[in-house]
Structure formats: C-alpha cells, structure tokens
Amino acid sequence: MGKVSYQLKRKIWSFNKSYDIFDEAGDTVFQVVGKPFSWGNKLSLLNIDGEEILKIKQTMAAWKATYELIEGDMLVAILEKEFSWFKRRFTLDIPGPNDYTIKGDFWAHEFTFERSGETVARVSKDIFKMSDTYGVRIREEEDHELILATVVVVNLICAAHS
C-alpha cells in the first residue's frame, strides 16, 4: 500500500477562495474555485480540464460548521466540525460504514484522516509560506478527490474560527 503526495496551495490574491493542487512532479492536477459574494462558502473541485468533480456547499442552517460535498446531483459526504477544547476534530460522514475522523492540532498545522482507527492520510501546513500551503499524503486506495476537497474545507473552517 503506497501513498501519493500532493501540495495544496491557496491563491493569495483571490477573492473567491481559490486553490491549486499539485502532484509529486509539481504539475497542477486539480483546482478549487470558490464563488465570490455567495451566501455561505460555495466551491468546486475541478480537474485539469476544468470539469467539475465535486461541489462544496456550506450549510448555513447548522449550529456548527457543516459542509456538503456533492458529486453531480448526489450528496456523497457531509463534513462537520466537532466540539473540542484543545484539538481540531471533524467528521466526514459518508453513506455506509466508511466515515473518516479528522484530527488536528490546535494551531491547524497537522491533521490526520482516520477510518476504522487506521490513518489513511496526513496533512501538514508549511508555516514558512506566505499563502496557506499544505502537503497531503494519501493512501493509494483512498478517494483522493474527496480527501483533497475536505482539506480545503478544513482550512476554511480553521481560518474562520481562529
């Protein structure tokens, strides 16, 4: 079981919360583009051809930070920020028994994605960059697009609640 590495970098001068996602060779493989001036965060994960893979939509009626991840017209996951005093915790609820638990440090520099008690992805923030930049290592057999989109949302939530 190998791991695949990505770098996720937020565009500094962007009003619409845009990110580029690079593979190990430094090539852009995905982009996340936000809709400016929308009620709640609304983003799209796009492949290199500009085709939408996932829609990301903030749920405004929830009392805790909640986002829906939608593929086509189908809801594939719900991300919720859990209450925690000294750590960042999230649940990525996927239909069936495949939920992820996301645990991070208080400063939002390190995160792990766990499923069934096993770490399947690691996220590290590069604190020496001007823009939000994360290294992401994901097991080959995991849903890379879903995890990368979730990393973007976790970054948005942590930035809003810091």
Side-chain angles (χ1 to χ4, degrees), residues 47-88:
N47 66 18
I48 195 64
D49 297 323
E51 299 165 341
E52 186 175 67
I53 298 170
L54 287 171
K55 288 181 240 179
I56 304 163
K57 185 176 91 175
Q58 184 177 14
T59 304
M60 298 304 293
W63 64 276
K64 56 185 174 179
T66 304
Y67 284 76
E68 295 178 339
L69 291 95
I70 303 161
E71 185 176 354
D73 292 328
M74 186 170 57
L75 179 67
V76 294
I78 296 173
L79 178 71
E80 290 184 329
K81 183 179 186 304
E82 302 298 334
F83 179 76
S84 177
W85 285 106
F86 299 108
K87 295 199 178 261
R88 308 285 179 131

Side-chain angles (χ1 to χ4, degrees), residues 95-108:
N98 296 319
D99 294 351
Y100 291 97
T101 299
I102 303 157
K103 298 177 184 176
D105 63 11
F106 180 77
W107 302 108

Side-chain angles (χ1 to χ4, degrees), residues 8-10 17-19 67 79 88 90 108 111 123 125 131-134 148-162:
L8 188 141
K9 187 173 184 177
R10 184 171 182 180
K17 299 178 176 97
S18 295
Y19 296 77
Y67 284 76
L79 178 71
R88 308 285 179 131
F90 302 85
F111 288 91
V123 181
K125 184 175 185 177
S131 66
D132 288 344
T133 303
Y134 291 88
L148 291 167
T150 302
V151 171
V152 169
V153 176
V154 166
N155 176 253
L156 291 173
I157 293 170
C158 290
H161 294 94
S162 292

